[in-house]
Amino acid sequence: MIRKYLRKIEKAQSTVVGINRRNIEFIYPNNNREDYRIADDKALCKTLLQNEKIPVPETYTLIEHLWEVDEKLLVLDTLENFVVKPSMGSGGNGILILQKHAGGWITPDGSPYNRERLIMHMAGILYGAYSQDHADKVIVEERLVPHPFFSDIYEKGIPDIRVIVKHDNPVMAMLRIPTRISKGKANLHQGATGIGIEMESGRLGYGTYKNRRITAHPDSGVEFRGLVIPQWKEMVTISKNTAGLVPLKFLGIDIILDAQTGPLVIEINARPGLQIQNSNSMGLLEALEKRSGNSV
């Protein structure tokens, strides 16, 4: 039994792809640099996908210049909750999830935002605080409500599904679910948990958190291993259709399963991270071999 387990570990390690190999063998041959903009600019990507009937969150307003802020903030006065995000940000940075509260707004972790503080945050986005000093745009969009399947595991924040697609073939996926440390965000770099997903069935496997293997959410204690994600085949199909619309041939597609609307694409990534391999206890090369020519 131990030898079998060690052989499995050795195989996984031999098929793991590092950053250099990812860049040389997967990104450079498949993604032309001039096409990165479709992934890096979330507003542009949303417009493309929306025009092609791919489900995406509703955009309430788009702010491209500081002088527009006062007028477009009037839209927010009519909303109970919404999300503010930089169009060209990365790593979950600069995203605000806000709910109306006491004459202003409040974040999921209780941080208050009045009008002045929100304008300052938007100004930071426009001047490139989250896009390496490049001029950016502010997207204000609907706040999604996670499907009860996910809130039963952990009720705070909004989890998402990352699907890696190569040549329009979904090959690997993971669930990214927030934790107390990540403050409601599903970004692994900010402390969220990554959980492997079996591509054929949508069944959850082991998760990773603080470099250790887990089968239960680190804060709620809810066991997730073996649970099957609802509407999984629909999400795989949406991933394939999304990949088919863009010129990038190796990419990550992020999907949220909303309680009312169902699966929605929130963004795509031309340089998907590699922690998904740890979450699945499987190297990318092994996943590609398993999924070669397959479809769900």
Side-chain angles (χ1 to χ4, degrees), residues 202-221:
R203 190 178 304 277
L204 296 179
Y206 289 99
T208 53
Y209 182 69
K210 293 185 177 180
N211 297 317
R212 58 188 175 88
R213 208 180 198 195
I214 59 174
T215 61
H217 191 278
D219 297 320
S220 69

Side-chain angles (χ1 to χ4, degrees), residues 231 234 256-264:
Q231 298 178 249
E234 187 179 345
I256 287 176
L257 183 59
D258 182 73
Q260 298 296 323
T261 315
L264 299 166

Side-chain angles (χ1 to χ4, degrees), residues 159-192:
D160 66 23
I161 308 289
R162 161 65 60 87
V163 183
I164 300 292
V165 183
K166 185 174 186 288
H167 291 288
D168 304 346
N169 182 27
V171 296
M172 192 174 245
M174 70 173 165
L175 167 64
R176 301 185 297 191
I177 193 163
T179 65
R180 178 180 50 80
I181 292 175
S182 73
K183 297 182 178 179
K185 296 180 181 178
N187 190 276
L188 300 186
H189 295 295
Q190 297 190 25

